[in-house]
Amino acid sequence: MKAAIMGYGTIGSGVAKVLDTNKDIIKARLGEELELKYILDLRDFPGDPHEDCFVKDYKKIAKDKDVQIVVETMGGVEPAFTFVKEMLEAGKSVTTSNKALVADKGAELMEIAEKNNVNFVFEAAVGGGIPIIRTLTACLTGDVIEEIDAICNGTTNYMLTNMEQFGSDYNEILAEAQSLGYAEKDPTADVEGHDSCRKIAILTSLVSGKNVDFNEIPTEGISKISSTDFRYAKAMGCSIKLIARSVKVGDTYSCRVAPFLIKPEQMLYHVAGVMNAVSVKGNMLGESMYYGAGAGALPTASAVVGDMVFLARNTNRHVKIGWDHEKLELADSAKQEYRFFVRTSALQSNIENEFDKVEYSNLDLDEEVGFVTQLMTEAEFDERAAALGGVKQVIRVF
Ligand code: HSE
């Protein structure tokens, strides 16, 4: 079975390493060798063990009838989309780790794969090394999924954990996450929550069977979380985690990505460093949770290689997972209900006028007070917070 890799960066080179390291066991499990024939990259890699495989024109791969499996680890929507489309149309199955591509073009590529009787899979696109995609599309496919709560960005979880435990400086710890190969090419996608947003959009598409537009998911990142917020969190016995949520409401889902205050009683509280976790509630299964390395070359490459074996086992057969082109109209996010932690310079009497009963969390700071509201909708909170004024920070309570 001959394969090609498009994009020899952190993940692509990790895929080659997994194939080399575990060559024998993969051969034994598949019943034939999984052989790397081409690597597409514009750069040169002199001395690389796969030096002979490098090509600069993707059409060379598309035209080679020997190649049945293509790995896309280039990142970004274009030219990845054009290349992947052409591979599928040429009768090759594709696996990608590229969530930007899957979130934007997943339903379309799935349709093209079906028409050409091949497969398009993307286990590595969500949760890095956690096998959450196949879990949802195969193991839990008999359940109605009622809720997904995920820490699904390794970079930000690594940063928040270090800020909490060691008081690390935001920029220094971001640079460290980048040097460890966790961050996206443009780390804005990590720290502003866009990466988590695309991942929860993909998971919601898979459990709803319709196409979620990730642009419609309200998304906040961690760039406004400060050491003062962590001091308040500690005083309340909480941590702060970037959580991507999707909750079933009637026939649709209500989604959000935001930093949340979370207590130790919740399993997601304990997910530290680069680890990711996805909690899934099914109507028959109840709650289950999946935990593992969310970023990094080898955990992500391990998921890609797992997909390659799946593709090799399913040549000449499209495996349908039920992700249609039809758009999913998400539920109104303004109706989501939370308790809100607020830091404000407003007077205590005004806080109680606007919010009635609140729980104070006082650090004895000059010119501000912290409090947690009762449960209310987003819309109601926005109205009351605007009337209160002086709001410096708002963090939802999980
Ligand atoms: N930048 C991503 C993360 C990589 O930090 O989780 C894995 O998708």
Side-chain angles (χ1 to χ4, degrees), residues 36-206:
L36 201 51
K37 185 162 183 186
Y38 297 110
I39 299 173
L40 177 76
D41 206 292
L42 292 177
R43 298 163 294 178
D44 292 316
F45 294 86
D48 187 277
H50 299 281
E51 205 174 358
D52 298 343
C53 296
F54 283 90
V55 290
K56 289 191 167 42
D57 181 3
Y58 77 101
K59 291 201 182 279
K60 186 158 185 193
I61 302 171
K63 279 184 195 143
D64 188 334
K65 295 250 177 300
D66 266 5
V67 175
Q68 285 180 278
I69 296 168
V70 178
V71 172
E72 186 277 304
T73 43
M74 298 160 50
V77 177
E78 279 297 350
F81 174 69
T82 304
F83 292 6
V84 168
K85 184 169 180 270
E86 200 157 324
M87 297 302 162
L88 295 171
E89 285 168 347
K92 303 173 194 317
S93 284
V94 175
T95 167
T96 180
S97 61
N98 180 347
K99 56 250 135 190
L101 176 70
V102 180
D104 205 20
K105 304 281 188 188
E108 192 176 340
L109 289 168
M110 197 65 76
E111 221 171 74
I112 297 170
E114 186 171 6
K115 267 188 205 140
N116 290 280
N117 203 32
V118 289
N119 291 291
F120 173 65
V121 288
F122 41 86
E123 187 59 69
V126 181
I130 306 175
I132 187 64
I133 305 283
R134 201 152 291 120
T135 298
L136 289 177
T137 56
C139 313
L140 303 187
T141 201
D143 262 54
V144 172
I145 303 303
E146 293 174 334
E147 184 168 339
I148 300 175
D149 298 296
I151 292 176
C152 54
N153 182 267
T155 303
T156 47
N157 206 46
Y158 182 80
M159 291 174 69
L160 290 173
T161 304
N162 278 273
M163 286 164 73
E164 178 177 32
Q165 292 182 354
F166 311 113
S168 307
D169 173 74
Y170 182 93
N171 289 315
E172 269 175 33
I173 204 68
L174 172 59
E176 197 175 306
Q178 285 175 294
S179 73
L180 290 166
Y182 300 156
E184 296 299 297
K185 269 184 203 151
D186 173 6
T188 315
D190 295 299
V191 297
E192 296 304 344
H194 306 154
D195 180 74
S196 295
C197 169
R198 284 175 173 82
K199 289 167 175 168
I200 198 70
I202 294 169
L203 297 182
T204 307
S205 293
L206 293 177

Side-chain angles (χ1 to χ4, degrees), residues 34 106 122 150 163 169 218 244 255 295 352 354 357 376 392-393:
L34 201 46
F122 41 86
M163 286 164 73
D169 173 74
C255 300
E352 282 153 33
E354 290 304 335
K357 282 195 193 107
M376 60 186 67
K392 297 180 172 184
Q393 178 64 294

Side-chain angles (χ1 to χ4, degrees), residues 205-389:
S205 293
L206 293 177
V207 299
S208 69
K210 293 185 184 168
N211 202 30
V212 172
D213 181 349
F214 62 85
N215 293 301
E216 293 179 356
I217 298 178
T219 298
E220 289 166 39
I222 66 160
S223 59
K224 295 196 184 82
I225 298 294
S226 67
S227 54
T228 310
D229 296 323
F230 273 111
R231 285 179 60 201
Y232 276 107
K234 194 172 175 194
M236 292 186 279
C238 291
S239 181
I240 303 171
K241 300 284 183 196
L242 184 68
I243 299 178
R245 310 195 70 199
S246 186
V247 180
K248 191 164 192 306
V249 179
D251 290 338
T252 184
Y253 285 81
S254 189
C255 300
R256 181 173 299 276
V257 176
F260 282 86
L261 281 160
I262 184 165
K263 291 224 181 241
E265 293 83 290
Q266 307 279 352
M267 286 196 285
L268 291 177
Y269 170 98
H270 303 278
V271 179
V274 71
M275 304 311 271
N276 280 194
V278 187
S279 158
V280 179
K281 287 186 192 129
N283 68 338
M284 299 291 124
L285 168 80
E287 185 174 2
S288 61
M289 173 135 150
Y290 309 89
Y291 172 86
L298 294 180
T300 312
S302 157
V304 173
V305 174
D307 266 355
M308 291 173 81
V309 173
F310 171 85
L311 295 177
R313 285 178 178 153
N314 288 287
T315 47
N316 306 316
R317 188 172 85 94
H318 176 74
V319 180
K320 201 168 170 59
I321 59 164
W323 178 1
D324 292 339
H325 220 94
E326 189 189 338
K327 185 181 170 192
L328 182 72
E329 294 299 339
L330 293 173
D332 182 0
S333 57
K335 291 187 180 152
Q336 290 174 9
E337 286 190 329
Y338 292 107
R339 294 174 71 218
F340 296 83
F341 165 70
V342 182
R343 286 170 50 199
T344 176
S345 56
L347 295 175
Q348 209 158 312
S349 53
N350 291 348
I351 294 172
E352 282 153 33
N353 273 346
E354 290 304 335
F355 285 95
D356 304 327
K357 282 195 193 107
V358 297
E359 278 173 35
Y360 288 104
S361 168
N362 213 335
L363 294 186
D364 284 330
L365 297 176
D366 287 342
E367 295 173 5
E368 74 168 72
V369 61
F371 67 92
V372 177
T373 70
Q374 299 174 70
L375 194 67
M376 60 186 67
T377 64
E378 289 276 342
E380 189 180 350
F381 174 78
D382 287 348
E383 204 173 299
R384 292 188 189 207
L388 176 68

